[in-house]
Amino acid sequence: MNLSEFIHEFILSLIELGILLGSLGTISFANAAYSAFSLGLVFTRISLLYFVSNADFVAAAQLLVYVGAINVLIAFAVMVTEKPAQFGSTTWGVGYFTTLGACAVLFLALVNTIYNTNWFDISFVNQSETLLTDTPRIDVHQLGYTLLSNFLVPFELLSILLLVALVGAINSARDEDTVTTDKKSSFSSSRKNLSSF
């Protein structure tokens, strides 16, 4: 995508602002379903960021893997195990402050790394053309052939592992739902028996 530098930086700023707002929405919503959908929007915006940066294959992989698989898995897990959100129970315990401290340390480490890294002096518009002439060309066909020849067994084992994890998560969530439903039904039947006396 060949755009002028100002338009390119403006589009990147909009996408990065969307990533930041979506990330804040992911951790801020009390309803877990809203957080899952906000996370899906963050994954989509990250894919747009790769697309604008001329990394089309990485953008497509981001869409397929994270938006198409991981986020759908998270949405299903939230829908299966969703319990009503308790809006009055905002406790600020030790875990909250520990997490806040760990996030602050990680943020400062990232800022320090970004500040101390020597970046290219080339603009983003010319950078992709310069890098394409210096690096050997690897296309999607070679990558697909390598995945389905040399790495076929780990690829299939990983897909089976993910499938087993998904089935196990749904099965354990169903077991919890049947236990709570059985408790509610036994409680209501014993209440009816007591009221008949």
Side-chain angles (χ1 to χ4, degrees):
M1 184 180 292
N2 293 326
L3 300 172
S4 70
E5 191 171 350
F6 176 74
I7 294 174
H8 195 269
E9 288 182 7
F10 179 72
I11 292 172
L12 282 176
S13 300
L14 283 178
I15 293 172
E16 290 165 358
L17 180 67
I19 291 172
L20 180 65
L21 291 177
S23 301
L24 289 175
T26 300
I27 61 170
S28 299
F29 285 127
N31 191 346
Y34 294 156
S35 293
F37 291 131
S38 181
L39 184 64
L41 289 175
V42 169
F43 288 153
T44 306
R45 289 180 180 123
I46 290 173
S47 175
L48 287 175
L49 185 68
Y50 287 135
F51 182 72
V52 170
S53 300
N54 290 330
D56 300 336
F57 179 75
V58 180
Q62 172 80 20
L63 272 176
L64 287 174
V65 173
Y66 285 100
V67 179
I70 302 291
N71 196 48
V72 171
L73 176 67
I74 290 171
F76 275 126
V78 165
M79 285 187 233
V80 169
T81 62
E82 177 67 21
K83 293 180 181 157
Q86 299 172 353
F87 291 104
S89 64
T90 54
T91 57
W92 298 59
V94 176
Y96 178 80
F97 291 112
T98 305
T99 306
L100 186 65
C103 289
V105 167
L106 180 64
F107 178 74
L108 291 175
L110 286 173
V111 166
N112 186 30
T113 303
I114 290 170
Y115 182 73
N116 292 327
T117 301
N118 293 326
W119 300 99
F120 291 110
D121 286 337
I122 310 168
S123 68
F124 279 119
V125 178
N126 298 328
Q127 180 180 351
S128 63
E129 296 169 2
T130 305
L131 291 177
L132 281 177
T133 58
D134 295 341
T135 58
R137 182 88 174 141
I138 298 174
D139 61 351
V140 179
H141 298 292
Q142 290 175 339
L143 184 63
Y145 179 75
T146 305
L147 275 178
L148 293 177
S149 61
N150 297 338
F151 298 110
L152 180 65
V153 174
F155 187 71
E156 289 300 320
L157 287 176
L158 186 63
S159 65
I160 291 171
L161 179 69
L162 288 173
L163 178 65
V164 167
L166 176 63
V167 170
I170 291 173
N171 192 20
S172 65
R174 279 186 155 177
D175 290 342
E176 288 177 9
D177 287 343
T178 56
V179 168
T180 55
T181 306
D182 290 342
K183 285 181 183 178
K184 287 180 182 178
S185 64
S186 65
F187 178 72
S188 63
S189 64
S190 63
R191 197 170 186 187
K192 286 179 185 177
N193 292 338
L194 289 176
S195 63
S196 64
F197 288 120

